Amino acid sequence: MNFELFIAKKIHFSKEGDKQVTPPAVRIAMVGIALGLAVMILSVAIIIGFKKEIRNKVIGFGSHIQISNFDNNTSYETAPIAISDELLEELHSYPGIRHIEKFATKPGILKTEVDFQGIILKGIAEDFDWSFFQENLKEGEIFTIDPENTGTSVIISQYLSNLLQLKTGDSFLTYFVQEEIRARRFTISGIYETGFLDYDKLFVIGDIKQIRRLNGWEKDEVSGLELLVDNYNRLDDITEDLYFDMVEKTDRNGNSFYVRSIKELNPMIFNWLEVLDMNVVIILILMLAVAGFTMISGLLIIILERTNMIGILKALGENNTSIRKIFLYVSFFLIGKGMLWGNVIGISLCFIQSEFQILTLDPSTYYLNAVPVDLNILSLILLNIGTLTASMLMMLGPSYLITKIDPARSIRFE
């Protein structure tokens, strides 16, 4: 029989009348543990959710990896690369790549009777993955690319729709400035809204053949290829391997291929997301410190309350290590109860926000309409293990007070 555990249970679960022996200060310590863990769960869930949502929006507009002309600058007016069937077959069989699509971009000015706006026409082919825009489609429908005929259907953002007073079924002119200004009329088949205003303000999605005709490109020429990987965690490794595999290759016109990940294409956004991890670390440290110090005060109160019992146990031959184990078990019970309530509170709040989106955000500032939460089992387990481990380690210090208690004096202590 575990003597220390038996005594600890007697201390923790004993009652006088209908009241717990544990004083209010210890209950406050349990509340501190519960609120601290709940805040940590919310912080981690929100940061993971925020990073995931922003990352998915950027990837939705630009994929995981882009292969373009090495001579391209940072503008959307691009030099073409010629894509051969052999190159596509090689990329389709490349480890880690799950989807490949062609694209082209061209800046233009969208004009209506009431206003005008600079836009980027992103041309896509029949191999385009519509899943991102399908999820964010607000009105209308996704158009179909005809491999033979040049389509005039486009989808625009809710931002452009509101700004220029356009709706599905309307048509508009877009002017493209080149050696000779050229105009194209497009018809709106659908309206999307991602909340990512930096891109919603710009992108109109249309047929890639429109851009080929405007630029005088051949059928196999595009601004580049967009690649989706099957595991985001391997993005950097796949990009690096692909870069060195493609660096010696050229297209039929002698153009070199330039391989870049979405992180390299949008360094400011992804660096900003990395900084958020530091905020989470600071919150976790602060919450652990607050919860730990409240538990230290609670344990000290329990030890002082049980000074007489400690003296009797020492007089009966129990050593300091054994008695310290008793109070560490008591701390474990208190921390465990606090963590139980912390999990209930934190998980419940995450579920409520996920389902009902009570807390909203300004998309012009945060790129999202509501506070996102993404709580996975691994994060929850690690948080609980970390909180329990850190809290128990912090209990070792105050439990050392037991070694200073003298049996002769403590037996008379009341």
Side-chain angles (χ1 to χ4, degrees), residues 57 105 118 121 128 147 164 186 191 252 256 285 292 302 304 389 392:
K57 290 179 188 295
T105 58
L121 177 63
F128 186 68
L164 302 174
F186 298 105
I191 297 174
R252 60 177 174 79
S256 299
I285 292 173
I302 294 173
L304 292 175
T389 302
M392 290 303 297

Side-chain angles (χ1 to χ4, degrees), residues 220-283:
D220 62 346
E221 291 183 315
V222 296
S223 292
L225 295 175
E226 292 182 335
L227 285 62
L228 295 174
V229 301
D230 53 16
N231 185 356
Y232 179 80
N233 294 326
R234 295 192 59 241
L235 175 61
D236 293 336
D237 293 335
I238 295 173
T239 303
E240 182 179 359
D241 293 342
L242 190 60
Y243 176 86
F244 287 109
D245 288 344
M246 299 290 291
V247 71
E248 301 293 336
K249 299 183 188 310
T250 58
D251 67 1
R252 60 177 174 79
N253 298 317
N255 297 310
S256 299
F257 297 111
Y258 191 18
V259 179
R260 290 175 293 175
S261 72
I262 195 68
K263 295 179 181 180
E264 296 171 290
L265 292 166
N266 299 274
M268 292 185 63
I269 293 176
F270 282 89
N271 288 338
W272 170 53
L273 293 179
E274 292 299 323
V275 171
L276 295 179
D277 291 337
M278 182 59 66
N279 296 341
V280 176
V281 172
I282 293 173
I283 292 173

Side-chain angles (χ1 to χ4, degrees), residues 308-327:
N308 184 270
M309 186 198 77
I310 294 171
I312 293 174
L313 288 173
K314 285 190 175 184
L316 292 174
E318 285 295 314
N319 57 43
N320 287 322
T321 302
S322 178
I323 299 174
R324 288 179 73 183
K325 284 183 181 179
I326 292 172
F327 287 92

Side-chain angles (χ1 to χ4, degrees), residues 44-65:
V44 171
I46 290 171
I47 292 299
I48 292 176
F50 187 80
K51 291 178 66 175
K52 184 177 179 179
E53 288 293 322
I54 297 299
R55 187 183 72 198
N56 288 345
K57 290 179 188 295
V58 177
I59 291 170
F61 281 102
S63 73
H64 290 120
I65 301 172

Side-chain angles (χ1 to χ4, degrees), residues 22-193:
T22 306
V26 177
R27 296 194 186 98
I28 292 173
M30 286 193 299
V31 170
I33 288 286
L35 293 181
L37 182 58
V39 170
M40 287 188 282
I41 290 172
L42 283 170
S43 300
V44 171
I46 290 171
I47 292 299
I48 292 176
F50 187 80
K51 291 178 66 175
K52 184 177 179 179
E53 288 293 322
I54 297 299
R55 187 183 72 198
N56 288 345
K57 290 179 188 295
V58 177
I59 291 170
F61 281 102
S63 73
H64 290 120
I65 301 172
Q66 285 189 8
I67 301 176
S68 59
N69 194 314
F70 198 86
D71 293 334
N72 279 338
N73 53 31
T74 56
S75 73
Y76 289 100
E77 189 71 65
T78 59
I81 54 174
I83 305 300
S84 64
D85 292 338
E86 292 77 10
L87 177 61
L88 288 176
E89 289 178 7
E90 179 182 343
L91 292 174
H92 276 296
S93 61
Y94 202 89
I97 295 176
R98 64 177 175 85
H99 182 74
I100 302 168
E101 57 195 30
K102 308 178 191 70
F103 78 97
T105 58
K106 191 168 183 65
I109 300 174
L110 191 159
K111 187 178 184 306
T112 65
E113 295 180 357
V114 296
D115 208 344
F116 63 92
Q117 174 73 15
I119 57 99
I120 303 298
L121 177 63
K122 179 174 181 177
I124 58 169
E126 57 272 15
D127 55 10
F128 186 68
D129 182 357
W130 281 106
S131 56
F132 173 74
F133 288 98
Q134 191 73 59
E135 291 172 2
N136 293 280
L137 194 67
K138 298 299 179 182
E139 298 179 31
E141 59 184 10
I142 299 298
F143 61 88
T144 302
I145 300 291
D146 188 333
E148 302 299 329
N149 301 315
T150 303
T152 58
S153 296
V154 296
I155 62 170
I156 67 171
S157 68
Q158 187 72 60
Y159 174 88
L160 292 175
S161 172
N162 296 336
L163 178 68
L164 302 174
Q165 300 178 22
L166 295 169
K167 60 182 183 298
T168 55
D170 289 350
S171 60
F172 59 85
L173 284 173
T174 301
Y175 295 89
F176 299 94
V177 180
Q178 40 196 76
E179 292 183 1
E180 179 182 348
I181 297 178
R182 307 177 73 174
R184 291 291 186 271
R185 181 172 293 277
F186 298 105
T187 302
I188 301 171
S189 71
I191 297 174
Y192 70 88
E193 183 181 30

